[in-house]
Amino acid sequence: MAEAGKGQKNQDVKLINRKLLELTGVVNVESFDSEEFLLETELGFLTVTGQNLHIKHLSLEQGLVAIEGLVHSLAYLDGAAASKSKGLFGKLFK
């Protein structure tokens, strides 16, 4: 049983009253502004959209991020969406 758990990626997502989002398993904060965050997590890229968003707590060493503001949505970008997004960014930054 101990072998099955090795290398397994974990992430906790805790949303409290749509005003405080606490995440574990965060590898990097790719970009952010008051309306959208793009986070690289152990389970893939995650977008957080909302209003008046700001970082309350950040510790990449521990993989922890807390975001305050009114959260509208959380969405993971799968492989197909990520490649499309890279294509769009590639076109923009040529």
Side-chain angles (χ1 to χ4, degrees):
M1 282 302 246
E3 292 290 322
K6 282 189 176 180
Q8 188 176 19
K9 298 176 181 178
N10 293 314
Q11 182 172 39
D12 292 328
V13 177
K14 183 177 179 183
L15 181 61
I16 304 167
N17 295 327
R18 289 184 63 186
K19 295 186 188 290
L20 177 62
L21 176 64
E22 297 175 346
L23 299 163
T24 64
V26 176
V27 176
N28 194 21
V29 178
E30 292 292 326
S31 66
F32 67 94
D33 61 30
S34 65
E35 295 182 350
E36 183 177 48
F37 278 68
L38 176 59
L39 308 169
E40 181 182 356
T41 74
E42 292 182 0
L43 299 179
F45 284 92
L46 174 67
T47 59
V48 180
T49 60
Q51 292 177 315
N52 301 319
L53 299 177
H54 61 274
I55 294 176
K56 178 179 179 182
H57 178 77
L58 174 63
S59 174
L60 293 179
E61 294 81 22
Q62 296 177 329
L64 303 173
V65 174
I67 299 171
E68 281 186 323
L70 181 60
V71 176
H72 292 301
S73 70
L74 303 171
Y76 284 93
L77 302 176
D78 61 9
S83 66
K84 286 181 186 176
S85 143
K86 287 180 186 174
L88 175 64
F89 285 125
K91 290 177 186 175
L92 288 174
F93 295 112
K94 274 189 176 179

